[in-house]
Amino acid sequence: LFRSSGTVWAADSVEALDTAEPLVKFETDSVKAEWSCALGRPVPARAIRVRFESTHGSGENVDVGMLALVGTAPPDAVPDADVCSSDIPAELKVTNLRQVKKRKRWMPLESNPNVVSKYLKKLGFDSSYALHEMLSLEPWALEMIPRPAQAIFLLFPIGKETEEASKSEREIPAEVPTPPNVLHMKQLIGNACGTIAVVHVMGNLCRHAGAVAEPGSWLERFLAAYKD
């Protein structure tokens, strides 16, 4: 599993999965991006359902997960409770369980005003806008930025603290409702944060600040096809 959480169900049939109680809920380790669990008892099952509820991490979000189920099949004997409680049941003689998959990644967007400016132009964003490098959030640096400033690209590292804060925020109901007609996309591909930030800025400036997409450009087609 790659930096994800979700739920697993097991039942005697596919139809029975709809009324079955969850067998286990999982969340992968924030460092190793893996998860394993011993059920502690034999669980007869002819159908398995897995729901991936979220993916998260430092630019390593993916839209593919891998789940390995270890068990026995008739006419093998049903394992006892001790076997079912071990980390990897030795009596099942499982080897090479771990499988490595290549994560889907994009080429990262360089944090450079000149590079981002060329990218905006190629996508068809309003040419009347200009990018400037902001060296700090301190007053002396903010005074160097031409006004009005309508958007900020913020590049910052993600670590254990930010991951824990993000998880806590998801568990607390938002006190302020989301403004209407806001263009927002969830990142599911590694290294795509810069590109998604660019799309967020272009789309919302076109929707809310009077910016205009170039006729026939990618941005114009994207905004026409985007669904809230």
Side-chain angles (χ1 to χ4, degrees), residues 59-146:
E60 298 177 353
N61 300 322
V62 295
D63 53 0
V64 176
M66 188 273 289
L67 178 68
L69 301 175
V70 181
T72 60
D76 296 336
V78 176
D80 58 31
D82 291 338
V83 173
C84 293
S85 298
S86 61
D87 291 338
I88 297 181
E91 294 182 13
L92 299 179
K93 299 179 181 179
V94 176
T95 59
N96 298 324
L97 179 60
R98 179 168 179 171
Q99 180 177 352
V100 177
K101 291 183 178 292
K102 185 177 181 181
R103 293 170 177 165
K104 185 182 293 185
R105 293 177 179 271
W106 285 1
M107 182 68 69
L109 182 62
E110 182 179 346
S111 181
N112 181 305
N114 293 329
V115 173
V116 178
S117 294
K118 293 178 181 179
Y119 193 38
L120 292 174
K121 182 178 180 180
K122 186 173 183 179
L123 294 176
F125 185 58
D126 196 323
S127 59
S128 65
Y129 284 76
L131 269 72
H132 301 271
E133 187 168 15
M134 186 169 66
L135 302 177
S136 172
L137 292 175
E138 297 179 0
W140 65 267
L142 298 179
E143 291 175 358
M144 300 170 61
I145 305 299

